[in-house]
Amino acid sequence: MPKKFQNTLSFARQLDKEDPLKSYRKRFHIPLQKNGKPFIYFCGNSLGLQPKTVRKYIEQELLDWEKLGVEGHFDGKNPWYYYHHFLEKSSAKLVGAKKNEVVIMNSLTVNLHLMMISFYRPTPQRYKILIESPAFPSDQYAVASQAQINGFDPKDAIIEVKPREGEETLRTEDILAKIEELGNELALVMFGGVNYYTGQFFELDKITEAAHKVGALAGFDLAHATGNVLLKLHDWQADFAVWCSYKYLNSGPGGTSGAFVHEKHGNNLATPRLAGWWGNDEKTRFEMQSEFIPQKGAGGWQLSNAQILPMAVHLASLEIFEEVGIRKLRKKADQLTAFMEFIINDLNAKKETPSFQIITPKDPKKRGCQLSILTDETGKHLFKKLTEAGIIADWREPNVIRIAPVPLYNKFEEVWRFGKILGQG
Ligand SMILES: *Cc1c(COP(=O)(O)O)cnc(C)c1O
């Protein structure tokens, strides 16, 4: 565990001084307030900041387009025909997969649907989908509509696991018990990796194992997990996963998305899927044959001509992750989050009645770098004060403030300053 923290500016500055990753902040554009001072940006869980290298990466592709036109597909510096391969190695490392188990394409909810088309194959007997509560709205809509187009009533087909009365997060034992209870009615477990609201990192290995034990499949939405927590999708035997690149992966608004298909499915060309020409075997893709021959691996789920410009942004960002390594990031994130937790608890201790309840799990293994703070009725007012003080956080009705100190660009000093303003509320 980290050494004993102190709620002082000098202590926070000392932590920054000792931080082996401190130089990475300079590699990002930090948004500025009207007074020219940088915002304290704790919203990397919604939209990560822009790596300074992004412009150069986009310009390279603009230049190739300008100079080469269509020939850029093969003659460009980074030939567009193969562009998604340039993103494979670093993406695979982040989710704990083999290179051919990942592909970068489309956007998140689109990929979620593509995966469910393949891996939610309900029968009259086995048709239920288990999700966490509260699941991100887009995921709720996606699973409900998948049930619906297969002829099932979402009210019957979609099962939510809820926290126990008086609790805010889910107990693994309750998730596993639900899976077992649903048994041969359960077709798919579709869970978030890290819950967007509470910041809880679920035990995906155990969930996958339990799902497989009853004959169901397990797929994960890793929007809040990729680039944040350690993942081992291949070893965990997850069937599929999807994630976006614009949160912790800093790849810009509406950035491209990732998908994982375990090789047990990806190498089986008979796995049902929606097809498009980009998923066709690369050797014959441009021969324009009428029969679809899927590529082996996750690449076989591609539909369209790759989106080079968002992918160039993603490549610039992934190279930073490749350079630092997720383990070092995780280590700093643990400390940064623990410091934030300490500061909030310290504020509570100074009050007669604690006004901030952290609903994110205390166990560092069960969270990433987000803390969700349940406030009392003064919450909204407090959030306004934070905003006025140049702190960008996130408000969720009815009264939760989500803050994400991100290890690539946030500082301990920023955490301390946040606490100072919170304390004045
Ligand atoms: C951010 C997020 C999304 C957003 O989906 P898009 O298709 O990228 O707009 C979906 N699901 C979860 C869990 C998220 O956190």
Side-chain angles (χ1 to χ4, degrees):
M1 267 328 279
K3 60 184 164 186
K4 246 174 124 31
F5 290 131
Q6 294 167 26
N7 190 355
T8 64
L9 177 58
S10 61
F11 185 82
R13 284 188 171 156
Q14 185 60 31
L15 290 178
D16 281 323
K17 224 169 112 190
E18 292 165 7
D19 169 15
L21 304 187
K22 60 174 175 263
S23 66
Y24 282 93
R25 179 177 168 90
K26 289 198 219 72
R27 312 264 294 263
F28 290 85
H29 290 292
I30 312 289
L32 297 178
Q33 306 177 53
K34 282 206 190 89
N35 63 12
K37 281 195 196 160
F39 278 104
I40 294 183
Y41 195 80
F42 286 143
C43 241
N45 55 346
S46 272
L47 182 71
L49 293 181
Q50 183 186 141
K52 289 181 179 166
T53 44
V54 157
R55 195 172 296 264
K56 194 179 87 191
Y57 278 65
I58 294 187
E59 274 173 0
Q60 176 62 50
E61 302 318 319
L62 291 178
L63 189 71
D64 279 350
W65 179 23
E66 177 186 323
K67 302 280 184 209
L68 301 170
V70 71
E71 305 299 344
H73 280 99
F74 294 102
D75 298 343
K77 181 159 180 271
N78 312 305
W80 303 327
Y81 194 78
Y82 304 108
Y83 206 93
H84 68 278
H85 291 306
F86 310 144
L87 303 158
E88 271 168 4
K89 187 169 149 229
S90 42
S91 302
K93 268 199 211 166
L94 286 175
V95 297
K98 295 188 177 179
K99 255 168 57 178
N100 79 337
E101 289 178 316
V102 299
V103 64
I104 302 301
M105 59 182 187
N106 310 315
S107 44
L108 193 160
T109 309
V110 172
N111 285 342
L112 183 54
H113 276 298
L114 291 181
M115 292 295 115
M116 284 197 285
I117 293 271
S118 292
F119 302 111
Y120 175 58
R121 315 281 305 161
T123 65
Q125 151 84 359
R126 190 188 280 284
Y127 61 92
K128 292 190 173 167
I129 304 177
L130 186 71
I131 62 170
E132 89 256 33
S133 172
F136 194 86
S138 198
D139 298 19
Q140 294 182 42
Y141 308 155
V143 293
S145 59
Q146 285 284 335
Q148 221 156 16
I149 57 167
N150 280 287
F152 298 97
D153 178 359
K155 283 198 198 69
D156 172 37
I158 310 300
I159 311 292
E160 294 184 358
V161 204
K162 294 198 170 80
R164 290 186 189 185
E165 189 70 32
E167 298 184 9
E168 300 290 340
T169 52
L170 292 174
R171 296 193 193 191
T172 303
E173 64 202 85
D174 290 354
I175 303 169
L176 303 185
K178 198 61 168 176
I179 292 172
E180 210 181 305
E181 179 195 319
L182 291 167
N184 62 9
E185 292 185 351
L186 184 65
L188 176 68
V189 177
M190 212 306 288
F191 249 63
V194 171
N195 182 264
Y196 83 101
Y197 182 71
T198 63
Q200 178 179 14
F201 179 22
F202 298 114
E203 297 187 80
L204 305 183
D205 51 342
K206 292 182 185 164
I207 293 175
T208 305
E209 196 187 344
H212 289 170
K213 216 165 141 195
V214 299
L217 296 182
F220 302 111
D221 182 334
L222 304 177
H224 282 262
T226 310
N228 179 18
V229 292
L230 299 180
L231 299 164
K232 291 188 180 169
L233 294 179
H234 176 85
D235 291 349
W236 295 341
Q237 297 284 326
D239 294 285
F240 71 85
V242 292
W243 58 94
C244 59
S245 66
Y246 51 82
K247 293 174 180 168
Y248 294 103
L249 294 180
N250 310 319
S251 301
T256 184
S257 160
F260 162 90
V261 178
H262 199 281
E263 66 179 2
K264 67 192 164 194
H265 306 299
N267 287 343
N268 175 6
L269 301 186
T271 305
R273 71 192 77 193
L274 291 184
W277 71 325
W278 230 253
N280 195 83
D281 185 352
E282 272 170 12
K283 291 196 273 309
T284 56
R285 182 196 283 155
F286 274 13
E287 287 172 15
M288 308 298 195
Q289 292 165 351
S290 56
E291 191 200 349
F292 174 66
I293 303 166
Q295 290 172 34
K296 270 195 174 177
W301 270 259
Q302 293 171 99
L303 296 179
S304 296
N305 207 326
Q307 293 151 302
I308 300 302
L309 297 180
M311 285 183 171
V313 180
H314 198 29
L315 186 59
S317 175
L318 285 178
E319 297 208 336
I320 299 176
F321 282 87
E322 189 69 10
E323 191 184 314
V324 190
I326 187 74
R327 284 180 190 280
K328 279 195 197 149
L329 280 176
R330 196 56 253 150
K331 201 164 165 206
K332 175 173 172 188
D334 269 347
Q335 206 192 11
L336 205 55
T337 312
F339 188 52
M340 173 87 78
E341 183 179 41
F342 162 80
I343 299 258
I344 295 166
N345 288 336
D346 190 56
L347 293 177
N348 273 335
K350 287 175 183 149
K351 297 191 170 191
E352 258 170 52
T353 43
S355 41
F356 314 115
Q357 184 200 346
I358 300 173
I359 60 175
T360 307
K362 287 190 179 62
D363 180 354
K365 287 195 200 66
K366 293 194 175 155
R367 67 187 185 196
C369 53
Q370 169 184 322
L371 288 181
S372 304
I373 311 170
L374 188 63
T375 64
D376 54 21
E377 66 290 344
T378 63
K380 197 113 201 201
H381 166 75
L382 198 59
F383 186 74
K384 212 170 139 239
K385 278 197 74 171
L386 289 170
T387 308
E388 282 163 8
I391 295 172
I392 301 187
D394 174 272
W395 175 260
R396 290 287 129 162
E397 295 294 342
N399 52 355
V400 165
I401 299 174
R402 297 188 310 167
I403 29 174
V406 171
L408 271 175
Y409 47 75
N410 282 126
K411 300 197 290 184
F412 290 90
E413 179 172 337
E414 294 178 302
V415 171
W416 180 83
R417 291 198 180 280
F418 165 81
K420 188 146 184 272
I421 296 167
L422 201 65
Q424 289 163 357

